[in-house]
Structure formats: C-alpha cells, structure tokens
Amino acid sequence: MSESRPTVDSHVVLERVLERIDDGIEAEVRYTTGVESLTRFANSFIHQNVSEEVTTISLRVAVDGRVASGNGTVVTDEAIDRLVDETVAAAKLQPVDDEWPGVAKPAKLPVTEHWDDDTADASPQVRAAKVKEFVDAGPSMRAAGYCSTSSTEVFFVNTLGHFAAGRATSAILDGIHQTDSSAGSGHMMSQRLGDIDATSVGALAAQRAADSVETFDLKPGEYEVVLSQECVASIVVFLGVYGFNAKLHNEGMSFVNLGTQQFDESLSIIDDALDDRGLMVPFDSEGVARRRVELVTGGVTKGLAQDRRTAKKAGLESTGHAVPGAEGFGPIATQVFVAGGGLSVDEMIGGVERGLYVATFNYCRVLDPKSLAVTGLTRNGTFMIENGKITGAVNGLRFTQSFVDALGPGRIKGLGNDARWADSEFDPGMVHAPSMHLKSWNFTGGTDG
C-alpha cells in the first residue's frame, strides 16, 4: 500500500453509536472512511502533493417524530458520546416532522463494487507520471491542473437493524494548457486511474489553446452548436437537480411532466449507480439500494429520483437517491448516463453550415428553475464553424437559454460516440455524457456583459 488507509474498525464505531441511543429513539448512522490524494501542477511543474485520510460519521435521529442530524470527523468514545448527546438534544427542540418516513427496514442490497486496488493504492509517483504525460502533450505551453485519486468505504446501520456496506474508487485528470493569450482545457475521470489517457487529455487541451490564440468578437444571436461532454454534463446536471427531483416536482417547481414528449426523440437519460462504469456505492444516505431509473426514454420524460420522504408522500418506494444534507432540497440523480450516438465530433462539426463549437460552460446560474432558463459563459475554447470546418476562435460569450427547450423535440441534430464521465457546473463524476449537436443556442452577449 502506497498511501495510508483508515484502520479504525467500522463495526466498533457503528456499535458504539447504537449503544448510546436510548430505547424509543430512531437512529441511522453512516460511517465513511477513505483516502483522498491530490497532485497539483502549475507552470508545467508539480507544486503540491497531498494525501488525506478522510473520516466522517453522520447521525440522524427521530425523537417522537422530531428529527435532527449531526456530523463529526472524530471517532473516539468521547466524540461519539458528544455527537449522540448533541444530536438527540437538538431533535427534542425541533417541531414534529409530519413527513418523517421512519428509518428503513432491513432489505437485501445489490452486491456491486466500483473498486480498483491500483487506484486505491496509487502513489504520488504514479499520479506524477500522468501529470508528465499531460504536460508533455503541449511542450511549448504552460500547463496547470490536478490529478487526484480517491478511495471511499461507506458503512450504514439503523435502529431497525438494517446494515449496508460498499466501497468505490475514482481518479481525475483535469487541466489546461496556456499560451500568452489563450487557454484550452481537458478532463477525464474513471473509477480506475489506469483508464485515464493523460496524453490524449493533454493533447486536446493543447490543441484548444493553440487554436484560440487569435480570437474575434461575435455578434449575439441564435447559433447552431456542437457541445463538448462538459457542456452536456452541465445541462443534464441542472435537469437532474432542478427537474428530476421528486421534491421539487411534488411542489410544482419542476419542468417534469411525466409521460410527455418533452425532449427530442433521440434523447435517453438514465440514472444507474449499478452500471459497471459507476463511481459510487450501491446505496444512498438512507441506506436504501440505488435503483436504475429511466428519466427520459426516446424523448419522453419517464421518471423521478425519490428518497424515502418523497416516496412516502407519493405512495411509492424510494429509488435510493437521498443525498447527505439535502433533506430540504430533495433527492438528486448523481450517476446519470446520457445515451450516445454514432457520430464523431468532426462528423458533427461537418454538419454545421454556420455555428459554434463550445468546450466548456462556466458560471451557470438559474434564472427560472421551472423552465430551467439559465445564463452562463463559455470558456477555454469557443470556435466558429463555417461550412463544416473550424475557421477561427471566438471570444467568450454569455448565453441565456432554457436547457429544457434546447433539448426539445427536433432540436438535437446528432449525438457523439465519445461518451465519458464529464466535469459539470456542480461536480465531476455525476454525468456520463457524449458530445451533442444542437439546432440552436441563444448567445446574448460577451463575457464582459
């Protein structure tokens, strides 16, 4: 083993918490351990390497229907006693929660593991080798970014005797290459560090930077676009957080109209944490098995992400989408797969008479959560397409666009054959997306406006 792993016995921690819970109190405990390691580089040199053992213990209790949660990072007997006492005391001060669903009954969980020993044990030297490959792909430029690896083990137990355990690994290479006047980005993520092709990620970033040295202003307006995986991931993560969220749907705040053709017929989106490419453990923060949910099939909106609270209210079963600390916001789809197509990026660009290729969206902010009208900026690579070819680089643009309308019937002209885990406006590792060719996108100004 190259970097330290937690050694505290998880069962001892869980039993210690439950022993401190008085009869008549409902409680659920989630104990998370792991190692997060990060190698940063700037000006083409590594300047930081850190590795941190991460331990979190989370407790949620219900005392006569009054609910409170607490968290800690220390697992000594004294710290656990204090966590239990303070969380129970806080619950007694809360009003009765009429929507509290109770803790989950014992249930069989899927045996799924997204784990890679080599990634869990990756040394600083292994990450440094990936960084070198990225840097070497743009020899005349300055490179900056990071390579990270993480291993996470999660243990869950509640006062009804339900127990769950799982583990997962992930690795990310994210960086830019810079000239004196331009920058281009590249990103790749996988549960296995060995799957990351650092040379191709660096070559893409370097190509985007080289192609952006000379830029010009473009008048605002509607333009046909080819969007990278990062842009598509940002669109879809907004759909998930604000749309496929059962709580917001129940409150009339979501665009979702189940059973309706709301999107182009070529669009299919599922959330499936059990997919072999997944990055998470197979249960949620309430200990419920994550289920495969068809969110959109052939453009028809099909499903919602449910936790135990929203499922109880709707008379359904949870789909295993509870997120730590998100009781007030609702369940969120976090392992989303967008079905790809058969086109390369060059083929999609070849189908554009006059439009834009966009590498990254940035600073996306919701103007209207129900229609998902969002404003944001383009960054690190915005290119003019004319007669099927890239003909120049464009200065950053601001857009104002309904993400729902952008993917509406007849609006998707092509899907890429390059689906992968992409970074997004919220976090990497939430959306597995292809590049996408859209009929139009509403650009409303430059990045200064």
Side-chain angles (χ1 to χ4, degrees), residues 283-307:
F283 55 90
D284 69 4
S285 63
E286 297 178 319
V288 176
R290 301 184 194 272
R291 298 184 184 180
R292 184 182 189 274
V293 179
E294 293 187 12
L295 302 172
V296 178
T297 302
V300 178
T301 306
K302 290 284 192 179
L304 296 167
Q306 305 272 1
D307 58 18

Side-chain angles (χ1 to χ4, degrees), residues 360-367 373-379 396-401 403 425 441-447 449:
T360 311
F361 289 155
N362 194 35
Y363 285 119
C364 296
R365 298 293 182 267
V366 172
L367 302 175
V374 175
T375 188
L377 309 174
T378 68
R379 186 184 186 190
L397 292 166
R398 173 170 293 281
F399 63 83
T400 304
Q401 173 69 57
F403 285 176
E425 185 69 8
W441 193 263
N442 186 36
F443 294 97
T444 50
T447 53

